[in-house]
Amino acid sequence: MDYVLFPFTWFIDHTFGYIVKLLFLLIDVIFPDSFTAVVTKYSDLFYQGIKYTLGISLFGTIFGFIIALLLAVVMVIKVKKTDSLIKKIFLRTIQSIIKIYVTVFRGTPMMVQAMIIYYGLVSIIHFSPVYAGLLIVSINTGAYLTEVLRKGIESVDSGQLEGARSLGFSYSKAMFYVVIPQAIKNSMAAIGNEFVINIKDTSVLNVIGCAEMYFALKTSASSNYRYMETMIIGAIVYLILTFTTTKILSLIDKKIGGGKVDIKSSN
């Protein structure tokens, strides 16, 4: 495991790791011996796959959120009649590029994106499948969350921005201190939903050899020829990951008082 990429590895090993071990123990007790044989032999491989899945999903969502926030702020800037011609051309060009980026990455499967980006850039940028997977999830998430955050910013009453400007805030400070925090709060449910989706969507990264959970399942199944048992174990693991994450995000959303404005995820 890459400790630079996944600084929370120690935390997972000493907290979530016990939960995974308990899960595998329950599978040993409840399910037939054919399942026990799979878990006994490949539990370490599955555990490594879970860590890669969680790591890529978490950091991909965080980096994608940062990308989306920057792009969403640009997208909500209005072109004024009083602006100079150069500013109008520059802003409209940048916004058009952002729209193309969002359209392309929302309109094509992540698996295809992974193949193009990894095999197209690996000879130029010598990165591992894990870093390639992180890049792919980040830019894909950025495309989806750009629209989510744009809607979140637009959901904030325009009077908030005008009030901040009347108090002497510059446009950038008013956006950063007043509008953006409320937009993020309004969009938390959709951002959390994107994280849950990413946990499942990392499975497509097996096409570039990224050792996430599905890659571990496929490796195990091709070695022991117990495809049904292996994939059922995988389904249970994915279900627990998404169910637990959804409950945690729901508690966080309630804690911060989000969800007052319905901002649907575009994914």
Side-chain angles (χ1 to χ4, degrees), residues 215-251:
F215 183 88
L217 294 171
K218 191 171 70 171
T219 301
S220 168
S222 62
S223 299
N224 58 32
Y225 301 105
R226 297 183 183 275
Y227 287 92
M228 186 186 72
E229 292 90 338
T230 302
M231 293 306 165
I232 288 176
I233 292 170
I236 293 171
V237 170
Y238 276 115
L239 180 60
I240 291 174
L241 291 179
T242 55
F243 179 79
T244 305
T245 303
T246 300
K247 289 299 181 184
I248 293 172
L249 291 171
S250 178
L251 290 174

CSV table of all heavy atoms in Angstrom, one decimal, residues 215-251:
chain,number,residue,atom,x,y,z
A,215,PHE,N,-10.7,-5.9,-8.8
A,215,PHE,CA,-9.5,-6.5,-9.4
A,215,PHE,C,-9.1,-7.7,-8.5
A,215,PHE,O,-8.7,-8.8,-9.0
A,215,PHE,CB,-8.4,-5.5,-9.4
A,215,PHE,CG,-7.1,-6.0,-10.1
A,215,PHE,CD1,-6.9,-6.0,-11.4
A,215,PHE,CD2,-6.1,-6.6,-9.2
A,215,PHE,CE1,-5.7,-6.5,-12.0
A,215,PHE,CE2,-4.9,-7.0,-9.8
A,215,PHE,CZ,-4.7,-7.0,-11.2
A,216,ALA,N,-9.2,-7.5,-7.2
A,216,ALA,CA,-8.9,-8.6,-6.2
A,216,ALA,C,-9.9,-9.7,-6.4
A,216,ALA,O,-9.5,-10.9,-6.4
A,216,ALA,CB,-8.9,-8.0,-4.8
A,217,LEU,N,-11.2,-9.4,-6.6
A,217,LEU,CA,-12.2,-10.5,-6.8
A,217,LEU,C,-11.9,-11.2,-8.1
A,217,LEU,O,-12.0,-12.5,-8.1
A,217,LEU,CB,-13.6,-9.8,-6.8
A,217,LEU,CG,-14.1,-9.2,-5.5
A,217,LEU,CD1,-15.4,-8.4,-5.8
A,217,LEU,CD2,-14.3,-10.2,-4.4
A,218,LYS,N,-11.6,-10.5,-9.1
A,218,LYS,CA,-11.4,-11.2,-10.4
A,218,LYS,C,-10.1,-12.1,-10.3
A,218,LYS,O,-10.1,-13.2,-10.9
A,218,LYS,CB,-11.2,-10.1,-11.5
A,218,LYS,CG,-11.2,-10.7,-12.9
A,218,LYS,CD,-11.3,-9.6,-13.9
A,218,LYS,CE,-10.0,-8.8,-14.0
A,218,LYS,NZ,-10.0,-7.8,-15.1
A,219,THR,N,-9.1,-11.6,-9.7
A,219,THR,CA,-7.8,-12.3,-9.5
A,219,THR,C,-8.1,-13.6,-8.7
A,219,THR,O,-7.6,-14.7,-9.1
A,219,THR,CB,-6.8,-11.5,-8.8
A,219,THR,OG1,-6.5,-10.3,-9.5
A,219,THR,CG2,-5.5,-12.3,-8.6
A,220,SER,N,-8.9,-13.5,-7.6
A,220,SER,CA,-9.2,-14.7,-6.8
A,220,SER,C,-10.0,-15.7,-7.6
A,220,SER,O,-9.8,-16.9,-7.6
A,220,SER,CB,-10.0,-14.2,-5.6
A,220,SER,OG,-10.6,-15.3,-4.9
A,221,ALA,N,-11.1,-15.2,-8.3
A,221,ALA,CA,-12.0,-16.1,-9.1
A,221,ALA,C,-11.3,-16.8,-10.2
A,221,ALA,O,-11.5,-18.0,-10.4
A,221,ALA,CB,-13.2,-15.3,-9.6
A,222,SER,N,-10.3,-16.1,-10.8
A,222,SER,CA,-9.6,-16.8,-11.9
A,222,SER,C,-8.6,-17.8,-11.4
A,222,SER,O,-8.1,-18.7,-12.2
A,222,SER,CB,-8.9,-15.7,-12.8
A,222,SER,OG,-7.9,-15.0,-12.0
A,223,SER,N,-8.3,-17.7,-10.1
A,223,SER,CA,-7.3,-18.7,-9.5
A,223,SER,C,-8.0,-19.9,-8.9
A,223,SER,O,-7.6,-21.0,-9.0
A,223,SER,CB,-6.5,-18.0,-8.4
A,223,SER,OG,-5.7,-16.9,-8.9
A,224,ASN,N,-9.2,-19.7,-8.3
A,224,ASN,CA,-9.9,-20.8,-7.6
A,224,ASN,C,-11.1,-21.3,-8.4
A,224,ASN,O,-11.7,-22.3,-8.0
A,224,ASN,CB,-10.3,-20.4,-6.2
A,224,ASN,CG,-11.2,-19.2,-6.2
A,224,ASN,OD1,-12.0,-18.9,-7.1
A,224,ASN,ND2,-11.1,-18.4,-5.1
A,225,TYR,N,-11.5,-20.6,-9.4
A,225,TYR,CA,-12.6,-21.0,-10.3
A,225,TYR,C,-14.0,-21.0,-9.5
A,225,TYR,O,-14.9,-21.7,-9.9
A,225,TYR,CB,-12.4,-22.3,-10.9
A,225,TYR,CG,-11.2,-22.3,-11.8
A,225,TYR,CD1,-10.0,-23.0,-11.4
A,225,TYR,CD2,-11.2,-21.7,-13.0
A,225,TYR,CE1,-8.9,-22.9,-12.2
A,225,TYR,CE2,-10.0,-21.7,-13.8
A,225,TYR,CZ,-8.9,-22.3,-13.4
A,225,TYR,OH,-7.8,-22.3,-14.2
A,226,ARG,N,-14.0,-20.4,-8.3
A,226,ARG,CA,-15.2,-20.2,-7.6
A,226,ARG,C,-15.8,-18.8,-7.8
A,226,ARG,O,-15.8,-18.0,-6.9
A,226,ARG,CB,-15.0,-20.5,-6.1
A,226,ARG,CG,-14.4,-21.9,-5.7
A,226,ARG,CD,-14.3,-22.1,-4.2
A,226,ARG,NE,-13.7,-23.4,-3.9
A,226,ARG,CZ,-14.4,-24.5,-3.8
A,226,ARG,NH1,-15.7,-24.4,-3.9
A,226,ARG,NH2,-13.8,-25.6,-3.5
A,227,TYR,N,-16.3,-18.6,-9.0
A,227,TYR,CA,-16.8,-17.3,-9.4
A,227,TYR,C,-18.0,-16.9,-8.6
A,227,TYR,O,-18.1,-15.7,-8.1
A,227,TYR,CB,-17.1,-17.3,-10.9
A,227,TYR,CG,-15.9,-17.3,-11.8
A,227,TYR,CD1,-15.4,-18.5,-12.2
A,227,TYR,CD2,-15.3,-16.2,-12.1
A,227,TYR,CE1,-14.2,-18.6,-13.0
A,227,TYR,CE2,-14.1,-16.2,-12.9
A,227,TYR,CZ,-13.6,-17.4,-13.4
A,227,TYR,OH,-12.5,-17.4,-14.1
A,228,MET,N,-19.0,-17.7,-8.3
A,228,MET,CA,-20.2,-17.3,-7.6
A,228,MET,C,-19.8,-16.9,-6.2
A,228,MET,O,-20.3,-15.9,-5.7
A,228,MET,CB,-21.2,-18.5,-7.6
A,228,MET,CG,-22.6,-18.0,-7.0
A,228,MET,SD,-23.7,-19.4,-6.8
A,228,MET,CE,-23.0,-20.3,-5.5
A,229,GLU,N,-19.1,-17.8,-5.5
A,229,GLU,CA,-18.8,-17.5,-4.1
A,229,GLU,C,-18.0,-16.2,-4.0
A,229,GLU,O,-18.2,-15.4,-3.1
A,229,GLU,CB,-18.0,-18.7,-3.5
A,229,GLU,CG,-18.7,-20.0,-3.3
A,229,GLU,CD,-18.6,-20.9,-4.6
A,229,GLU,OE1,-18.3,-20.3,-5.7
A,229,GLU,OE2,-18.9,-22.1,-4.4
A,230,THR,N,-17.0,-16.1,-4.9
A,230,THR,CA,-16.1,-14.9,-4.8
A,230,THR,C,-16.9,-13.6,-5.1
A,230,THR,O,-16.8,-12.6,-4.3
A,230,THR,CB,-15.0,-15.0,-5.9
A,230,THR,OG1,-14.3,-16.2,-5.6
A,230,THR,CG2,-14.1,-13.8,-5.8
A,231,MET,N,-17.8,-13.6,-6.1
A,231,MET,CA,-18.6,-12.4,-6.4
A,231,MET,C,-19.6,-12.1,-5.3
A,231,MET,O,-19.9,-10.9,-5.1
A,231,MET,CB,-19.2,-12.5,-7.8
A,231,MET,CG,-18.2,-12.6,-8.9
A,231,MET,SD,-17.0,-11.1,-8.8
A,231,MET,CE,-15.7,-11.7,-9.9
A,232,ILE,N,-20.2,-13.1,-4.7
A,232,ILE,CA,-21.1,-12.9,-3.6
A,232,ILE,C,-20.4,-12.2,-2.4
A,232,ILE,O,-20.9,-11.3,-1.8
A,232,ILE,CB,-21.8,-14.2,-3.2
A,232,ILE,CG1,-22.8,-14.7,-4.3
A,232,ILE,CG2,-22.5,-14.0,-1.8
A,232,ILE,CD1,-23.4,-16.0,-4.0
A,233,ILE,N,-19.2,-12.7,-2.1
A,233,ILE,CA,-18.4,-12.1,-1.1
A,233,ILE,C,-18.1,-10.6,-1.5
A,233,ILE,O,-18.3,-9.7,-0.6
A,233,ILE,CB,-17.1,-12.8,-0.9
A,233,ILE,CG1,-17.4,-14.2,-0.3
A,233,ILE,CG2,-16.1,-12.0,0.0
A,233,ILE,CD1,-16.1,-15.1,-0.2
A,234,GLY,N,-17.8,-10.4,-2.7
A,234,GLY,CA,-17.6,-9.0,-3.2
A,234,GLY,C,-18.8,-8.1,-3.1
A,234,GLY,O,-18.7,-7.0,-2.6
A,235,ALA,N,-19.9,-8.7,-3.4
A,235,ALA,CA,-21.2,-7.9,-3.3
A,235,ALA,C,-21.5,-7.5,-1.9
A,235,ALA,O,-21.9,-6.4,-1.6
A,235,ALA,CB,-22.3,-8.7,-3.9
A,236,ILE,N,-21.2,-8.5,-1.0
A,236,ILE,CA,-21.4,-8.2,0.5
A,236,ILE,C,-20.5,-7.0,0.9
A,236,ILE,O,-20.9,-6.1,1.6
A,236,ILE,CB,-21.2,-9.4,1.3
A,236,ILE,CG1,-22.3,-10.5,1.0
A,236,ILE,CG2,-21.2,-9.1,2.8
A,236,ILE,CD1,-22.0,-11.9,1.6
A,237,VAL,N,-19.3,-7.1,0.5
A,237,VAL,CA,-18.3,-6.1,0.9
A,237,VAL,C,-18.7,-4.7,0.4
A,237,VAL,O,-18.7,-3.7,1.1
A,237,VAL,CB,-16.9,-6.4,0.4
A,237,VAL,CG1,-15.9,-5.3,0.6
A,237,VAL,CG2,-16.3,-7.7,1.1
A,238,TYR,N,-19.1,-4.7,-0.9
A,238,TYR,CA,-19.5,-3.4,-1.5
A,238,TYR,C,-20.7,-2.8,-0.8
A,238,TYR,O,-20.8,-1.6,-0.6
A,238,TYR,CB,-19.8,-3.6,-3.0
A,238,TYR,CG,-18.6,-3.5,-3.9
A,238,TYR,CD1,-18.1,-4.6,-4.6
A,238,TYR,CD2,-17.9,-2.3,-4.0
A,238,TYR,CE1,-17.0,-4.5,-5.5
A,238,TYR,CE2,-16.7,-2.2,-4.8
A,238,TYR,CZ,-16.3,-3.3,-5.6
A,238,TYR,OH,-15.2,-3.2,-6.4
A,239,LEU,N,-21.7,-3.7,-0.5
A,239,LEU,CA,-22.9,-3.3,0.2
A,239,LEU,C,-22.6,-2.7,1.5
A,239,LEU,O,-23.1,-1.7,1.9
A,239,LEU,CB,-23.8,-4.5,0.3
A,239,LEU,CG,-25.2,-4.2,1.0
A,239,LEU,CD1,-26.0,-3.2,0.2
A,239,LEU,CD2,-26.0,-5.5,1.2
A,240,ILE,N,-21.7,-3.3,2.3
A,240,ILE,CA,-21.3,-2.8,3.6
A,240,ILE,C,-20.6,-1.5,3.5
A,240,ILE,O,-20.9,-0.5,4.2
A,240,ILE,CB,-20.5,-3.8,4.4
A,240,ILE,CG1,-21.3,-5.1,4.7
A,240,ILE,CG2,-19.8,-3.2,5.6
A,240,ILE,CD1,-20.5,-6.2,5.4
A,241,LEU,N,-19.7,-1.4,2.5
A,241,LEU,CA,-19.0,-0.1,2.3
A,241,LEU,C,-20.0,1.1,2.0
A,241,LEU,O,-19.9,2.1,2.6
A,241,LEU,CB,-18.0,-0.2,1.2
A,241,LEU,CG,-16.8,-1.1,1.4
A,241,LEU,CD1,-15.9,-1.2,0.2
A,241,LEU,CD2,-16.0,-0.6,2.6
A,242,THR,N,-20.9,0.8,1.0
A,242,THR,CA,-21.8,1.9,0.6
A,242,THR,C,-22.8,2.2,1.7
A,242,THR,O,-23.1,3.3,1.9
A,242,THR,CB,-22.5,1.5,-0.7
A,242,THR,OG1,-23.1,0.2,-0.6
A,242,THR,CG2,-21.5,1.4,-1.8
A,243,PHE,N,-23.3,1.1,2.4
A,243,PHE,CA,-24.3,1.3,3.4
A,243,PHE,C,-23.7,2.1,4.6
A,243,PHE,O,-24.3,3.1,5.0
A,243,PHE,CB,-24.8,0.0,3.9
A,243,PHE,CG,-25.9,0.1,5.0
A,243,PHE,CD1,-27.2,0.4,4.7
A,243,PHE,CD2,-25.5,-0.1,6.3
A,243,PHE,CE1,-28.1,0.5,5.7
A,243,PHE,CE2,-26.5,0.0,7.3
A,243,PHE,CZ,-27.8,0.3,7.0
A,244,THR,N,-22.5,1.7,5.0
A,244,THR,CA,-21.9,2.4,6.1
A,244,THR,C,-21.6,3.9,5.8
A,244,THR,O,-21.8,4.8,6.5
A,244,THR,CB,-20.6,1.7,6.5
A,244,THR,OG1,-20.9,0.4,6.8
A,244,THR,CG2,-19.9,2.4,7.7
A,245,THR,N,-21.0,4.1,4.5
A,245,THR,CA,-20.7,5.4,4.1
A,245,THR,C,-21.9,6.3,4.0
A,245,THR,O,-21.9,7.5,4.4
A,245,THR,CB,-20.0,5.4,2.7
A,245,THR,OG1,-18.8,4.6,2.8
A,245,THR,CG2,-19.6,6.8,2.3
A,246,THR,N,-23.0,5.8,3.5
A,246,THR,CA,-24.3,6.5,3.4
A,246,THR,C,-24.8,7.0,4.7
A,246,THR,O,-25.2,8.1,4.9
A,246,THR,CB,-25.4,5.7,2.7
A,246,THR,OG1,-24.9,5.3,1.3
A,246,THR,CG2,-26.7,6.4,2.5
A,247,LYS,N,-24.7,6.1,5.7
A,247,LYS,CA,-25.2,6.4,7.1
A,247,LYS,C,-24.4,7.5,7.7
A,247,LYS,O,-24.9,8.4,8.3
A,247,LYS,CB,-25.2,5.2,7.9
A,247,LYS,CG,-26.3,4.1,7.6
A,247,LYS,CD,-27.7,4.8,7.7
A,247,LYS,CE,-28.8,3.8,7.4
A,247,LYS,NZ,-30.1,4.4,7.4
A,248,ILE,N,-23.0,7.4,7.5
A,248,ILE,CA,-22.1,8.4,8.1
A,248,ILE,C,-22.4,9.7,7.4
A,248,ILE,O,-22.4,10.8,8.1
A,248,ILE,CB,-20.7,8.0,7.9
A,248,ILE,CG1,-20.3,6.7,8.7
A,248,ILE,CG2,-19.7,9.1,8.3
A,248,ILE,CD1,-19.0,6.1,8.5
A,249,LEU,N,-22.5,9.8,6.1
A,249,LEU,CA,-22.7,11.0,5.4
A,249,LEU,C,-24.1,11.6,5.8
A,249,LEU,O,-24.2,12.8,5.9
A,249,LEU,CB,-22.7,10.8,3.9
A,249,LEU,CG,-21.3,10.5,3.4
A,249,LEU,CD1,-21.4,10.0,1.9
A,249,LEU,CD2,-20.3,11.7,3.5
A,250,SER,N,-25.1,10.8,6.0
A,250,SER,CA,-26.4,11.2,6.4
A,250,SER,C,-26.3,11.9,7.8
A,250,SER,O,-26.9,13.0,8.0
A,250,SER,CB,-27.4,10.1,6.5
A,250,SER,OG,-28.6,10.5,6.9
A,251,LEU,N,-25.5,11.4,8.7
A,251,LEU,CA,-25.4,12.0,10.0
A,251,LEU,C,-24.7,13.3,9.9
A,251,LEU,O,-25.0,14.3,10.6
A,251,LEU,CB,-24.6,11.0,10.9
A,251,LEU,CG,-25.3,9.7,11.4
A,251,LEU,CD1,-24.4,8.8,12.1
A,251,LEU,CD2,-26.5,10.1,12.2
